Amino acid sequence: MDSHDLDNIDLFGDLSAEDQLELNQMNKRRQAEAHKLHNEKATPDSLEFQRRWYLWSASQTTPDRLTLKNHEPINYGQAFTPSQCQEILQSTYNFVGTKGWSHQRHGAFPTRDVPVSVLSVSTMVYERLKALLFPKLEEHTGIEAKFWTFRDLFIVGYHEDHQRMLGLHTDGCLASLTLLLNDPAEFQGGGTFFEKFDMLVNQTPGDAWVHDANLRHSGIEITQGTRVIMVGFMDTVGGITEEYSVLTKESI
């Protein structure tokens, strides 16, 4: 399998042992190339340079610049007002009332979800998130805002009688978004746990929390009620390439 075959691999599905080995080898080669790029003259305004610089920043034990690679999750502030959160929730409930929740869009870590693209509020959601997140991602990754896009954006519905939690995992992209939509009074338990920092984030509805996609995290079990969140997988234009780590199934 050469590097071009990656376009045919589902990074959210179960990988064969051969595919896993090859992707791990590619990751090592890309890491070495990123170090080499840092020491060679390159064009700083190119996407390739910026992506590799961001990946290289993970290896810096005393970084002189904050990046998502060397920092705990960051609260990017309020993306949606309480009324907008309610509007998104109502659009979601209207859709699942007739079409139901999807359970098969993410193979390795399936969630009970709905893509934002099918909702009546999709345009508003995308416009507000791009305006808030992409300039801040430029600041925290060194990758210009114009290069960012959403690989996936979806609503997850945790429920006491259905999916209650999601085990430790990483995401198949560069940066990830987690945003609570409903009132915390509507559920017990929950939150997002980040293993490296031993950090549990209990969000305020509408606030956008962003982290590096390779930071292992989990959705803590709810014990009562319903917890509804928005999740975004953010990447650069052109999609996933071979320098990424792949999803590794831990426990669900």
Side-chain angles (χ1 to χ4, degrees):
M1 180 179 75
D2 62 33
S3 62
H4 298 292
D5 291 330
L6 284 166
D7 292 337
N8 299 319
I9 295 177
D10 175 13
L11 294 185
F12 294 94
D14 296 325
L15 298 176
S16 69
E18 180 183 357
D19 287 343
Q20 179 73 66
L21 177 62
E22 182 65 18
L23 283 170
N24 288 341
Q25 291 172 343
M26 286 181 180
N27 287 332
K28 291 179 180 179
R29 289 198 297 270
R30 289 295 179 174
Q31 190 101 24
E33 290 174 10
H35 281 277
K36 182 179 179 181
L37 185 66
H38 178 72
N39 294 316
E40 292 181 351
K41 189 173 182 179
T43 307
D45 60 353
S46 70
L47 173 57
E48 182 179 16
F49 179 94
Q50 293 174 19
R51 288 168 64 94
R52 292 189 180 181
W53 181 88
Y54 175 60
L55 295 171
W56 171 82
S57 72
S59 65
Q60 302 309 292
T61 55
T62 56
D64 57 4
R65 177 176 175 180
L66 165 66
T67 77
L68 290 179
K69 281 289 184 188
N70 53 44
H71 199 274
E72 63 188 24
I74 301 174
N75 184 351
Y76 276 11
Q78 187 180 63
F80 304 110
T81 65
S83 63
Q84 288 170 332
C85 287
Q86 287 302 311
E87 186 179 359
I88 297 168
L89 286 168
Q90 190 58 57
S91 180
T92 301
Y93 295 147
N94 289 344
F95 180 86
V96 300
T98 57
K99 302 291 186 180
W101 295 93
S102 170
H103 300 270
Q104 301 176 350
R105 294 195 323 112
H106 304 124
F109 284 85
T111 50
R112 182 173 172 261
D113 63 50
V114 170
V116 167
S117 60
V118 303
L119 302 180
S120 60
V121 295
S122 62
T123 299
M124 179 272 288
V125 170
Y126 276 103
E127 288 180 351
R128 288 189 63 85
L129 289 180
K130 288 177 181 179
L132 172 68
L133 302 183
F134 292 176
K136 291 180 181 292
L137 282 170
E138 177 175 341
E139 178 183 351
H140 294 141
T141 65
I143 301 173
E144 293 178 59
K146 67 181 181 182
F147 291 132
W148 284 96
T149 188
F150 281 99
R151 186 184 191 275
D152 197 5
L153 184 63
F154 53 101
I155 310 296
V156 178
Y158 293 105
H159 190 278
E160 61 182 294
D161 295 327
H162 299 283
Q163 182 178 14
R164 290 172 172 250
M165 51 84 73
L166 190 65
L168 280 170
H169 63 285
T170 58
D171 300 326
C173 54
L174 273 181
S176 301
L177 160 74
T178 304
L179 186 153
L180 180 66
L181 288 170
N182 67 323
D183 190 329
E186 297 177 8
F187 59 88
Q188 293 183 8
T192 305
F193 175 73
F194 296 91
E195 181 184 50
K196 178 179 179 179
F197 300 103
D198 192 24
M199 176 181 180
L200 178 63
V201 173
N202 289 302
Q203 299 169 297
T204 299
D207 280 2
W209 283 81
V210 175
H211 62 90
D212 181 78
N214 276 331
L215 186 62
R216 279 170 31 113
H217 57 286
S218 64
I220 298 299
E221 182 178 17
I222 64 167
T223 57
Q224 184 176 326
T226 301
R227 176 176 178 249
V228 185
I229 64 173
M230 182 181 295
V231 174
F233 296 152
M234 296 172 288
D235 207 322
T236 54
V237 175
I240 290 184
T241 59
E242 58 267 35
E243 68 246 34
Y244 294 113
S245 298
V246 298
L247 284 170
T248 302
K249 194 166 185 175
E250 300 292 341
S251 60
I252 297 179

